[in-house]
Amino acid sequence: MCIACRNRESQHTLIRLQLDGKRAVAYRGEGRSFYLCRDCSLDAKRIRKLIKRFKFNEEEFFTLIKELSTDG
Ligand SMILES: [Zn+2]
């Protein structure tokens, strides 16, 4: 399930992330993960909401999402 819009999509179209302390990082294969769907990964407003909710570093989070969403 996408953490931003709560839509269920196949895992194929979801970006998988995990929390590392207070930062979001690409999923490393262990630990608690969460998903962001492709639509949300392309929607700056939704991403900003997440940043506020989790108090992420804005620039860092946008960079991460961009990297992961262009990856295939
Ligand atoms: Zn979504």
Side-chain angles (χ1 to χ4, degrees):
M1 189 168 82
C2 171
I3 197 173
C5 65
R6 297 184 181 277
N7 279 337
R8 285 167 196 278
E9 299 199 25
S10 74
Q11 293 200 357
H12 196 69
T13 60
L14 295 166
I15 294 169
R16 197 170 191 181
L17 304 165
Q18 74 175 77
L19 289 175
D20 180 10
K22 290 180 180 173
R23 299 170 59 219
V25 296
Y27 185 59
R28 294 171 182 145
E30 56 179 57
R32 227 178 129 188
S33 65
F34 60 95
Y35 295 95
L36 195 65
C37 73
R38 201 160 194 87
D39 281 358
C40 292
S41 76
L42 299 171
D43 187 329
K45 275 187 194 169
R46 291 187 202 170
I47 292 175
R48 284 213 177 83
K49 270 191 188 171
L50 282 182
I51 288 170
K52 271 195 173 176
R53 197 161 125 202
F54 291 97
K55 298 183 167 63
F56 293 142
N57 177 290
E58 182 165 327
E59 201 182 318
E60 192 177 274
F61 193 63
F62 268 109
T63 304
L64 175 70
I65 297 304
K66 211 174 184 182
E67 273 175 19
L68 295 175
S69 60
T70 52
D71 188 36

